[in-house]
Amino acid sequence: MAYYHRLGQIPRKRHTQFRQPDGTLYSEQLVGTLGFHGVSSLLYHRHPPTDIRQVGQPEPFSPKLLKDRPLQPSHLRTLAQTTTGGDYLAARQTMLGNADVTLSICNPTERRMSYYYKNALADEVIFVHEGRGELWSQMGKVAFEPGDYVVIPRTIIHQLHFEEGPVRLLIIESFSAVETCRRYRNHFGQLLEHSPYCERDIRPPSELVVDDAQESGDYLLKIKKEGQLHHLTYAHSPFDVVGWDGYFYPYATSIHDFEPITGRLHQPPPVHQHFEGHNFVICSFVPRLFDYHPLSIPAPYNHSNVDSDEVLYYVAGNFMSRRGVDLASFTWHPSGIPHGPHPGTVEASLGKKETHELAVMVDTFRPLYLTEAALPYVDPRYPMSWQPDFVPEAPKAADMMD
């Protein structure tokens, strides 16, 4: 994230003496990227962030990718799966992935994590389909609600705290930095006038966590790295930060604040782009006016994914080009097969003035693979759903967004 933010108490100059009320020094920690050449933040702890008490045995924590399945369009129906596990980590079920990115569902039943979590190799983007709560991290609290993207850069220690009620999350794990789109920024990093969102739509941490940071004890940190979940116990809470400043921190931004780009004729998917990573992009389909040429066709045209896979996650509304697709479903159209609107949807779109659909799209530039965990959700009839006489199952819900 490319703008400066500060929170709490910090000294006037970096790397100078900054003392606690009892006279001892606060412990300084630089959290940065690309060695010392990328974005970074400087944190001030009450206790050294290095005081490991115990190292536990790692446990396997990676999806099994299936690379021998037939090439075909796929539909994963996850709406009926209201819970997928206990806490935020146990509830993750990865549906699709490759070496650049994974896409997981996560519908936890536990409201609070009893430990701390860090992804050491990947940024995580949490799309909140249902549920409310707060992200707690070393940098403070970020509140979230339905429609929010919560962006957590790698190495940020955090917990998720959910309010009462159902929780349904889409988690996009990126093995490169997740950034705003380059074409939306000037060379200073500021978002430009034609960007569909701006810095006012980005919510950084607003309040430091008041944790039991003064107390010595056993504080379990689970670190995800190289397909393993590592268990390290520290002597003090990682949330003992009294202040920080910099450019590297978690934040939230809402799909509802994404301003659509429209035109006289059908606009291609890049106009919906919200974020980018290495070899993939994240797009937001939001309510918008349709094309206003007198002969325009609102439905998308057939297209061949020559060098990318396209995944759509359906959030709310009725997606006009698809039949029989539930909310909380994924459609995956791999490279090598042309795809487009279902029969009858092109004619049905003529004369339509607007859409109220909400969806998250992930386009990857290397092939994706289904996971073993995704198999129970596969709709076996979907590859044949472009047949004129195909009768889809009725979607199970009309709208789930607040």
Side-chain angles (χ1 to χ4, degrees):
M1 190 54 238
Y3 78 85
Y4 175 82
H5 188 60
R6 62 184 287 175
L7 194 61
Q9 308 168 52
I10 59 174
R12 193 182 72 81
K13 293 285 289 182
R14 294 180 297 173
H15 317 315
T16 58
Q17 296 178 31
F18 182 35
R19 295 191 178 275
Q20 304 190 44
D22 64 1
T24 59
L25 288 169
Y26 286 110
S27 188
E28 196 176 39
Q29 179 191 12
L30 182 72
V31 181
T33 63
L34 303 178
F36 290 86
H37 296 278
V39 294
S40 65
S41 287
L42 197 55
L43 286 64
Y44 295 87
H45 294 265
R46 292 187 177 93
H47 309 280
T50 51
D51 53 357
I52 298 172
R53 279 191 166 180
Q54 182 180 347
V55 177
Q57 288 298 312
E59 58 180 291
F61 196 75
S62 61
K64 182 178 180 181
L65 302 181
L66 305 175
K67 299 188 176 183
D68 57 354
R69 287 179 57 80
L71 181 66
Q72 60 185 300
S74 297
H75 175 206
L76 308 178
R77 310 183 80 156
T78 73
L79 180 61
Q81 193 70 35
T82 55
T83 61
T84 56
D87 68 28
Y88 172 66
L89 285 188
R92 291 189 182 199
Q93 293 185 4
T94 300
M95 300 287 102
L96 293 154
N98 62 20
D100 303 309
V101 64
T102 65
L103 287 80
S104 303
I105 59 172
C106 181
N107 307 339
T109 56
E110 294 183 15
R111 301 293 154 194
R112 183 170 180 150
M113 298 165 69
S114 60
Y115 53 88
Y116 304 87
Y117 172 60
K118 174 198 290 188
N119 193 325
L121 286 183
D123 288 14
E124 295 189 358
V125 180
I126 304 169
F127 177 77
V128 183
H129 195 164
E130 288 187 283
R132 285 181 166 79
E134 289 182 329
L135 170 78
W136 288 17
S137 78
Q138 304 140 290
M139 277 86 164
K141 299 179 182 180
V142 178
F144 58 80
E145 62 184 15
D148 279 345
Y149 292 99
V150 183
V151 181
I152 309 170
R154 69 204 59 202
T155 78
I156 298 295
I157 299 173
H158 63 279
Q159 295 176 326
L160 271 84
H161 296 237
F162 301 105
E163 296 179 7
E164 288 298 322
V167 176
R168 187 182 297 270
L169 310 174
L170 166 67
I171 301 176
I172 302 166
E173 184 181 28
S174 168
F175 299 102
S176 60
V178 173
E179 301 175 340
T180 55
C181 308
R182 271 169 271 185
R183 69 177 183 276
Y184 297 159
R185 304 190 304 254
N186 61 25
H187 67 282
F188 300 106
Q190 184 179 12
L191 291 166
L192 293 163
E193 285 294 302
H194 69 271
S195 172
Y197 55 95
C198 73
E199 286 82 0
R200 295 183 189 183
D201 300 319
I202 294 166
R203 310 194 309 273
S206 59
E207 175 189 356
L208 291 173
V209 176
V210 179
D211 203 355
D212 50 355
Q214 299 283 20
E215 298 180 12
S216 178
D218 293 327
Y219 296 85
L220 175 61
L221 173 62
K222 297 185 180 182
I223 303 175
K224 184 180 179 183
K225 186 172 184 179
E226 296 287 357
Q228 301 283 330
L229 200 59
H230 301 268
H231 295 221
L232 277 72
T233 301
Y234 284 80
H236 294 92
S237 167
F239 295 168
D240 68 344
V241 173
V242 298
W244 65 273
D245 73 333
Y247 288 73
F248 187 75
Y249 50 84
Y251 65 91
T253 186
S254 177
I255 195 172
H256 301 298
D257 287 329
F258 186 89
E259 300 301 332
I261 298 169
T262 60
R264 272 170 46 92
L265 298 175
H266 187 82
Q267 299 294 297
V271 302
H272 306 290
Q273 188 177 342
H274 208 140
F275 305 101
E276 65 186 20
H278 179 64
N279 282 333
F280 78 96
V281 298
I282 302 172
C283 301
S284 294
F285 286 84
V286 300
R288 63 195 180 278
L289 296 177
F290 280 140
D291 329 307
Y292 47 89
H293 187 284
L295 297 179
S296 67
I297 301 174
Y301 37 78
N302 297 303
H303 52 287
S304 293
N305 290 353
V306 175
D307 54 9
S308 68
D309 284 19
E310 177 187 288
V311 178
L312 269 167
Y313 176 79
Y314 297 82
V315 178
N318 182 16
F319 219 76
M320 65 171 176
S321 61
R322 290 284 170 267
R323 303 182 306 179
V325 172
D326 291 343
L327 303 183
S329 281
F330 297 81
T331 55
W332 167 40
H333 297 122
S335 59
I337 306 175
H339 70 278
H342 275 133
T345 59
V346 172
E347 287 286 349
S349 76
L350 300 180
K352 296 288 180 63
K353 301 298 183 185
E354 61 184 353
T355 177
H356 297 285
E357 68 202 15
L358 279 174
V360 176
M361 184 171 82
V362 178
D363 273 8
T364 68
F365 297 97
R366 284 200 281 194
L368 286 165
Y369 301 98
L370 278 180
T371 67
E372 194 171 73
L375 292 179
Y377 304 107
V378 172
D379 175 2
R381 303 171 70 224
Y382 186 71
M384 281 66 72
S385 62
W386 282 265
Q387 294 292 323
D389 57 352
F390 180 81
V391 179
E393 293 181 33
K396 297 181 176 62
D399 196 349
M400 289 166 48
M401 293 294 292
D402 287 4

